[in-house]
Structures are given as C-alpha cells and as structure tokens.
Amino acid sequence: MKILMVCLGNICRSPLAEGIMKQKIIENGLAWKVDSAGTGSWHVGNLPDSRSIDVAYKNGIDITNQRARKFVKEDLEQFDLIFAMDSSNYSNIVNMASHSSQKEKVHLIMNMTEPQRNITVPDPYWDDDGFDQVFEMLSRACDGIIQHYS
C-alpha cells in the first residue's frame, strides 16, 4: 500500500499526517509506504513548519527528514490512496485526474473517522494554537485508515 498525504504547502498538515502514519505503520507491522505533498509550490525543498516539527516531537515523532514537494499528476498513478486535508486540496487533486480510477483514490482524510461529513483539517499556519488540534485529528484519521485498509 502506498499512501500520499496532501495539503496546500506541504509544511504543516501533510508532513504531520505523513509522520503520524509512518509511526502507526511501524507500530502495526505493516509494509506500507507513505509520503506527503502540497498542491502549491511555495515551500518546495523546505523543512516542515517549526511548529509542526515541535508538535510531532512532543508526541514522539521526528519529521525533520521531510522536505516539501509539489503534488504532480504522476502521483495519481504511483499511489494507491491519496488523502487531502480539505475540500480545496481535494478538488485540486481530482481536477488533475485523467480517469475515474484515479479519482477513486482521492479521499478527504477526516472521512476515515467521520464518513460522509467532509470535515476539514484546519490549516494551523495562521494559528499557533492549532497544531495540537491538527495532530489529534490526524492521529485519529490515521487510526481509521489502518482499521479500514489493513
């Protein structure tokens, strides 16, 4: 299983989702791979936001080996599941899809815990206090992914 986590800039939400998912994959002994990307290219090559690094570290996860990258059309072929953090990212990804089988790979991540509710993972970039909430939301969603697909 190859999973891709996607947000806007690939410095806040999707790096956290990648780090959390990697930790849960190890804990559950799964042979899955996970990566992350952003629909925008502003931060390509950069480390995750320092606040994401801090909240991950506080929860026993090191995400300092990650570097931001832009989502590309080829990702729709290379990954089995693509999880968007919000409806805008979801739409951007689906609009790049060439056929329905690619579109079917794309999901809103919080639908893994609250199906059909289309809940957004808030972008904590503008809210220093939002990173803990985002971490908790993504941790629950990653648990849901493992429960559903393993």
PDB file of all heavy atoms in Angstrom, residues 107-124:
ATOM      1  N   HIS A 107      -9.397  10.914  -1.285  1.00  0.00           N
ATOM      2  CA  HIS A 107     -10.363  10.990  -0.191  1.00  0.00           C
ATOM      3  C   HIS A 107     -10.038  12.176   0.709  1.00  0.00           C
ATOM      4  O   HIS A 107      -8.876  12.560   0.837  1.00  0.00           O
ATOM      5  CB  HIS A 107     -10.312   9.719   0.668  1.00  0.00           C
ATOM      6  CG  HIS A 107     -10.411   8.458  -0.109  1.00  0.00           C
ATOM      7  ND1 HIS A 107     -11.609   7.906  -0.459  1.00  0.00           N
ATOM      8  CD2 HIS A 107      -9.452   7.652  -0.624  1.00  0.00           C
ATOM      9  CE1 HIS A 107     -11.395   6.801  -1.155  1.00  0.00           C
ATOM     10  NE2 HIS A 107     -10.086   6.629  -1.267  1.00  0.00           N
ATOM     11  N   LEU A 108     -11.053  12.703   1.371  1.00  0.00           N
ATOM     12  CA  LEU A 108     -10.820  13.658   2.456  1.00  0.00           C
ATOM     13  C   LEU A 108     -10.426  12.844   3.680  1.00  0.00           C
ATOM     14  O   LEU A 108     -11.141  11.913   4.063  1.00  0.00           O
ATOM     15  CB  LEU A 108     -12.073  14.477   2.743  1.00  0.00           C
ATOM     16  CG  LEU A 108     -12.378  15.587   1.750  1.00  0.00           C
ATOM     17  CD1 LEU A 108     -13.778  16.141   1.986  1.00  0.00           C
ATOM     18  CD2 LEU A 108     -11.343  16.699   1.857  1.00  0.00           C
ATOM     19  N   ILE A 109      -9.311  13.173   4.288  1.00  0.00           N
ATOM     20  CA  ILE A 109      -8.755  12.319   5.346  1.00  0.00           C
ATOM     21  C   ILE A 109      -9.696  12.148   6.534  1.00  0.00           C
ATOM     22  O   ILE A 109      -9.797  11.066   7.097  1.00  0.00           O
ATOM     23  CB  ILE A 109      -7.361  12.822   5.793  1.00  0.00           C
ATOM     24  CG1 ILE A 109      -6.682  11.738   6.642  1.00  0.00           C
ATOM     25  CG2 ILE A 109      -7.448  14.181   6.488  1.00  0.00           C
ATOM     26  CD1 ILE A 109      -5.203  11.935   6.842  1.00  0.00           C
ATOM     27  N   MET A 110     -10.417  13.178   6.916  1.00  0.00           N
ATOM     28  CA  MET A 110     -11.274  13.051   8.099  1.00  0.00           C
ATOM     29  C   MET A 110     -12.495  12.175   7.854  1.00  0.00           C
ATOM     30  O   MET A 110     -13.150  11.757   8.809  1.00  0.00           O
ATOM     31  CB  MET A 110     -11.681  14.424   8.634  1.00  0.00           C
ATOM     32  CG  MET A 110     -10.519  15.228   9.223  1.00  0.00           C
ATOM     33  SD  MET A 110      -9.451  14.314  10.390  1.00  0.00           S
ATOM     34  CE  MET A 110     -10.613  13.902  11.691  1.00  0.00           C
ATOM     35  N   ASN A 111     -12.786  11.849   6.611  1.00  0.00           N
ATOM     36  CA  ASN A 111     -13.868  10.903   6.332  1.00  0.00           C
ATOM     37  C   ASN A 111     -13.505   9.491   6.806  1.00  0.00           C
ATOM     38  O   ASN A 111     -14.375   8.625   6.875  1.00  0.00           O
ATOM     39  CB  ASN A 111     -14.242  10.907   4.855  1.00  0.00           C
ATOM     40  CG  ASN A 111     -15.126  12.079   4.495  1.00  0.00           C
ATOM     41  OD1 ASN A 111     -15.683  12.760   5.367  1.00  0.00           O
ATOM     42  ND2 ASN A 111     -15.260  12.343   3.213  1.00  0.00           N
ATOM     43  N   MET A 112     -12.231   9.291   7.169  1.00  0.00           N
ATOM     44  CA  MET A 112     -11.825   7.996   7.706  1.00  0.00           C
ATOM     45  C   MET A 112     -12.316   7.813   9.138  1.00  0.00           C
ATOM     46  O   MET A 112     -12.401   6.691   9.620  1.00  0.00           O
ATOM     47  CB  MET A 112     -10.298   7.840   7.644  1.00  0.00           C
ATOM     48  CG  MET A 112      -9.750   7.805   6.230  1.00  0.00           C
ATOM     49  SD  MET A 112     -10.555   6.602   5.134  1.00  0.00           S
ATOM     50  CE  MET A 112     -10.321   5.082   6.001  1.00  0.00           C
ATOM     51  N   THR A 113     -12.655   8.895   9.822  1.00  0.00           N
ATOM     52  CA  THR A 113     -13.182   8.781  11.180  1.00  0.00           C
ATOM     53  C   THR A 113     -14.643   9.197  11.253  1.00  0.00           C
ATOM     54  O   THR A 113     -15.369   8.729  12.120  1.00  0.00           O
ATOM     55  CB  THR A 113     -12.374   9.635  12.179  1.00  0.00           C
ATOM     56  OG1 THR A 113     -12.411  10.991  11.762  1.00  0.00           O
ATOM     57  CG2 THR A 113     -10.955   9.164  12.278  1.00  0.00           C
ATOM     58  N   GLU A 114     -15.038  10.095  10.384  1.00  0.00           N
ATOM     59  CA  GLU A 114     -16.418  10.572  10.353  1.00  0.00           C
ATOM     60  C   GLU A 114     -16.904  10.568   8.902  1.00  0.00           C
ATOM     61  O   GLU A 114     -16.951  11.611   8.253  1.00  0.00           O
ATOM     62  CB  GLU A 114     -16.500  11.968  10.978  1.00  0.00           C
ATOM     63  CG  GLU A 114     -16.049  11.966  12.430  1.00  0.00           C
ATOM     64  CD  GLU A 114     -16.247  13.295  13.106  1.00  0.00           C
ATOM     65  OE1 GLU A 114     -17.386  13.807  13.063  1.00  0.00           O
ATOM     66  OE2 GLU A 114     -15.272  13.815  13.660  1.00  0.00           O
ATOM     67  N   PRO A 115     -17.243   9.371   8.403  1.00  0.00           N
ATOM     68  CA  PRO A 115     -17.601   9.213   6.992  1.00  0.00           C
ATOM     69  C   PRO A 115     -18.714  10.166   6.538  1.00  0.00           C
ATOM     70  O   PRO A 115     -19.653  10.450   7.279  1.00  0.00           O
ATOM     71  CB  PRO A 115     -18.068   7.758   6.899  1.00  0.00           C
ATOM     72  CG  PRO A 115     -17.418   7.081   8.062  1.00  0.00           C
ATOM     73  CD  PRO A 115     -17.333   8.117   9.140  1.00  0.00           C
ATOM     74  N   GLN A 116     -18.537  10.646   5.327  1.00  0.00           N
ATOM     75  CA  GLN A 116     -19.530  11.479   4.643  1.00  0.00           C
ATOM     76  C   GLN A 116     -19.729  12.865   5.260  1.00  0.00           C
ATOM     77  O   GLN A 116     -20.568  13.627   4.806  1.00  0.00           O
ATOM     78  CB  GLN A 116     -20.886  10.767   4.549  1.00  0.00           C
ATOM     79  CG  GLN A 116     -20.815   9.368   3.985  1.00  0.00           C
ATOM     80  CD  GLN A 116     -20.221   9.322   2.590  1.00  0.00           C
ATOM     81  OE1 GLN A 116     -20.506  10.147   1.761  1.00  0.00           O
ATOM     82  NE2 GLN A 116     -19.367   8.338   2.339  1.00  0.00           N
ATOM     83  N   ARG A 117     -18.969  13.212   6.289  1.00  0.00           N
ATOM     84  CA  ARG A 117     -19.132  14.524   6.931  1.00  0.00           C
ATOM     85  C   ARG A 117     -18.294  15.593   6.238  1.00  0.00           C
ATOM     86  O   ARG A 117     -18.546  16.774   6.412  1.00  0.00           O
ATOM     87  CB  ARG A 117     -18.769  14.448   8.419  1.00  0.00           C
ATOM     88  CG  ARG A 117     -19.641  13.479   9.175  1.00  0.00           C
ATOM     89  CD  ARG A 117     -20.493  13.975  10.297  1.00  0.00           C
ATOM     90  NE  ARG A 117     -20.416  15.359  10.700  1.00  0.00           N
ATOM     91  CZ  ARG A 117     -19.899  15.801  11.832  1.00  0.00           C
ATOM     92  NH1 ARG A 117     -19.343  14.958  12.680  1.00  0.00           N
ATOM     93  NH2 ARG A 117     -19.918  17.074  12.129  1.00  0.00           N
ATOM     94  N   ASN A 118     -17.263  15.156   5.492  1.00  0.00           N
ATOM     95  CA  ASN A 118     -16.383  16.063   4.748  1.00  0.00           C
ATOM     96  C   ASN A 118     -15.780  17.152   5.635  1.00  0.00           C
ATOM     97  O   ASN A 118     -15.715  18.322   5.259  1.00  0.00           O
ATOM     98  CB  ASN A 118     -17.107  16.674   3.555  1.00  0.00           C
ATOM     99  CG  ASN A 118     -17.558  15.618   2.570  1.00  0.00           C
ATOM    100  OD1 ASN A 118     -16.952  14.555   2.460  1.00  0.00           O
ATOM    101  ND2 ASN A 118     -18.631  15.882   1.876  1.00  0.00           N
ATOM    102  N   ILE A 119     -15.324  16.745   6.803  1.00  0.00           N
ATOM    103  CA  ILE A 119     -14.710  17.670   7.755  1.00  0.00           C
ATOM    104  C   ILE A 119     -13.312  18.051   7.272  1.00  0.00           C
ATOM    105  O   ILE A 119     -12.550  17.203   6.820  1.00  0.00           O
ATOM    106  CB  ILE A 119     -14.647  17.031   9.157  1.00  0.00           C
ATOM    107  CG1 ILE A 119     -16.068  16.834   9.687  1.00  0.00           C
ATOM    108  CG2 ILE A 119     -13.806  17.869  10.119  1.00  0.00           C
ATOM    109  CD1 ILE A 119     -16.141  16.029  10.953  1.00  0.00           C
ATOM    110  N   THR A 120     -13.002  19.312   7.396  1.00  0.00           N
ATOM    111  CA  THR A 120     -11.706  19.846   7.002  1.00  0.00           C
ATOM    112  C   THR A 120     -10.729  19.790   8.169  1.00  0.00           C
ATOM    113  O   THR A 120     -11.102  20.064   9.306  1.00  0.00           O
ATOM    114  CB  THR A 120     -11.880  21.320   6.562  1.00  0.00           C
ATOM    115  OG1 THR A 120     -12.633  21.341   5.352  1.00  0.00           O
ATOM    116  CG2 THR A 120     -10.563  22.006   6.338  1.00  0.00           C
ATOM    117  N   VAL A 121      -9.483  19.463   7.864  1.00  0.00           N
ATOM    118  CA  VAL A 121      -8.412  19.629   8.844  1.00  0.00           C
ATOM    119  C   VAL A 121      -7.987  21.090   8.721  1.00  0.00           C
ATOM    120  O   VAL A 121      -7.500  21.504   7.674  1.00  0.00           O
ATOM    121  CB  VAL A 121      -7.218  18.697   8.562  1.00  0.00           C
ATOM    122  CG1 VAL A 121      -6.097  18.940   9.566  1.00  0.00           C
ATOM    123  CG2 VAL A 121      -7.649  17.237   8.563  1.00  0.00           C
ATOM    124  N   PRO A 122      -8.198  21.892   9.749  1.00  0.00           N
ATOM    125  CA  PRO A 122      -7.896  23.323   9.633  1.00  0.00           C
ATOM    126  C   PRO A 122      -6.409  23.568   9.412  1.00  0.00           C
ATOM    127  O   PRO A 122      -5.571  22.849   9.955  1.00  0.00           O
ATOM    128  CB  PRO A 122      -8.363  23.911  10.965  1.00  0.00           C
ATOM    129  CG  PRO A 122      -8.432  22.769  11.905  1.00  0.00           C
ATOM    130  CD  PRO A 122      -8.676  21.535  11.093  1.00  0.00           C
ATOM    131  N   ASP A 123      -6.103  24.559   8.601  1.00  0.00           N
ATOM    132  CA  ASP A 123      -4.711  24.913   8.343  1.00  0.00           C
ATOM    133  C   ASP A 123      -4.201  25.709   9.543  1.00  0.00           C
ATOM    134  O   ASP A 123      -4.655  26.830   9.780  1.00  0.00           O
ATOM    135  CB  ASP A 123      -4.596  25.745   7.069  1.00  0.00           C
ATOM    136  CG  ASP A 123      -3.159  25.960   6.644  1.00  0.00           C
ATOM    137  OD1 ASP A 123      -2.238  25.731   7.466  1.00  0.00           O
ATOM    138  OD2 ASP A 123      -2.942  26.364   5.486  1.00  0.00           O
ATOM    139  N   PRO A 124      -3.253  25.164  10.309  1.00  0.00           N
ATOM    140  CA  PRO A 124      -2.798  25.843  11.529  1.00  0.00           C
ATOM    141  C   PRO A 124      -1.739  26.916  11.268  1.00  0.00           C
ATOM    142  O   PRO A 124      -1.256  27.539  12.208  1.00  0.00           O
ATOM    143  CB  PRO A 124      -2.217  24.698  12.357  1.00  0.00           C
ATOM    144  CG  PRO A 124      -1.634  23.786  11.324  1.00  0.00           C
ATOM    145  CD  PRO A 124      -2.616  23.854  10.161  1.00  0.00           C
TER     146      PRO A 124
END
